[in-house]
Every structure is written in structure tokens, then in C-alpha cells.
Amino acid sequence: MKTAFKYIIPSLVIISFLILAITEKADFDSGDYLNFGLTLLTYFYVVFTWEMLERMKTESYLERRPYLVADFKSPKSNLHFELENIGKTPALNVKVKVSPDFELLKKEDSINTTIFKDKIDFFPPKKLIETYLSTTSSFFEKNPDKFTVQLDYEDSFKNKFSEKIILDLNHHKKQSYLIEKELKDVVKSIDELKKTIEKK
């Protein structure tokens, strides 16, 4: 609701009423004051109801709009890139760009020139695109630990969304180190056990 309609207009009305009452240019009785007060209360009630309806309309739309999220996941020390629509409506004309770009399993392929080379016309709710990249440790040998994902898409009403997600993968790097360390300890323990058995 515009500020002029919400604040300025009632303020001018109140000031005008007070000026007329103080200068005695208008003959107001108690009934007039009461009617004026009731009119103001009715006005502000209408304003409050209007704002509440607008807020409910906005919240309802936000609950139904598409929401695309991108992230890296590393189950069992294998790194994956995922794109998912967690909203309740489809996303249309989806464009994805990852910066900096990185290679996939084939060195001549990158995520921007293969999977997200063309726009995705229709991306329904709960749809998930999952791409295996490599082991977590191998990925960080030739790639940084911070990426920016630019997402551009539309909803069914042609409303456009442009969102930038900054992903910090430092925790994946640390997780990979811990997993590798545990594996090395297991291998070392097995070797020691094997030597012990051979001595007997």
C-alpha cells in the first residue's frame, strides 16, 4: 500500500479537522467528534485488513513458487554435484552456471559445457540432478574449495528469478582428510596383524 494513502491522507484530514475546531470556523458538537473518531477507526481497520490480505497473498505465492538449490555432497568420500527443485511448482527455462568451471570424469568435459550447456525447459518439483565428480581428495587436488552457482529461471506466471549461491567446500576437504586418515589406520592395523600372524 502506498505511503500517501496509508499515512499522508489521514494526517491531512486530522490536521484540517483540528484547525477548524481550534479556529472555531466550524461548529462541531460531541456527535461530530464521535463520528470523526469512528471514521478514523474504520479507515485504519480497512488499511490493516488490506495489508493483511496483501501479506497473505505474498506468503501464499512464496510457498508455491519454485526454489532451486545447488550443492556439493560427499557421501563416503565421493563428491557429487546436485541441483534440486525444493519448491512446490515447476521451474521453467532454467539456466545454470558454475564459477569457476571444472572438469568432469572426461578431461574434455566440464559441468558448464555438458550438463548445463543448454537451458532446462521444465524442472518439476522434487526433481534432482545428481552428478558424480570424483573422489573428494582427487577433486581438491585440481580445484578450489569455493564456487559460485548462478541460477536463472521462471515460474509458470513468467516471473523471473535470478539467484547466486556461494558454496564453501572447505568442510568437505576436512571430511575427506579424516576419512582417508581412518582408512590408512585400518590398513596399517591389518598389516600389523598380518605380520603378527606370520611370525607365529
Side-chain angles (χ1 to χ4, degrees), residues 77-178:
S77 75
N78 294 317
L79 197 65
H80 297 250
F81 181 84
E82 295 184 355
L83 178 69
E84 184 177 8
N85 182 3
I86 62 173
K88 295 182 179 180
T89 54
L92 308 176
N93 301 320
V94 179
K95 296 179 181 178
V96 182
K97 184 178 181 181
V98 183
S99 301
D101 197 4
F102 54 83
E103 296 177 350
L104 299 178
L105 294 176
K106 293 182 179 180
K107 292 184 178 181
E108 63 272 18
D109 295 337
S110 71
I111 195 162
N112 287 332
T113 60
T114 53
I115 301 172
F116 301 125
K117 179 181 179 181
D118 302 315
K119 70 177 181 179
I120 303 171
D121 294 327
F122 185 79
F123 205 105
K126 298 183 180 180
K127 180 179 176 61
L128 172 67
I129 294 178
E130 183 177 9
T131 305
Y132 171 74
L133 303 178
S134 67
T135 62
T136 308
S137 56
S138 299
F139 182 82
F140 289 117
E141 287 176 0
K142 51 186 177 181
N143 291 290
D145 55 12
K146 286 187 179 180
F147 291 87
T148 301
V149 182
Q150 179 65 43
L151 301 173
D152 296 291
Y153 55 99
E154 302 174 359
D155 63 8
S156 301
F157 302 100
K158 300 300 179 182
N159 295 313
K160 297 181 182 296
F161 303 95
S162 182
E163 297 164 345
K164 183 181 292 185
I165 302 175
I166 299 176
L167 301 174
D168 187 346
L169 309 186
N170 191 45
H171 63 288
H172 289 286
K173 185 186 294 185
K174 292 179 179 178
Q175 179 183 350
S176 172
Y177 171 76
L178 291 174

Side-chain angles (χ1 to χ4, degrees), residues 44 56 60 64-65 71 73 106 125 129 151 154 166:
F44 286 115
M56 290 174 62
S60 175
R64 291 182 290 105
R65 58 155 282 193
D71 200 4
K73 294 188 178 180
K106 293 182 179 180
I129 294 178
L151 301 173
E154 302 174 359
I166 299 176

Side-chain angles (χ1 to χ4, degrees), residues 188-200:
K188 185 178 178 181
S189 299
I190 292 174
D191 289 340
E192 290 178 352
L193 180 61
K194 182 179 179 181
K195 289 180 182 178
T196 303
I197 294 174
E198 289 176 350
K199 287 180 180 179
K200 293 182 178 180

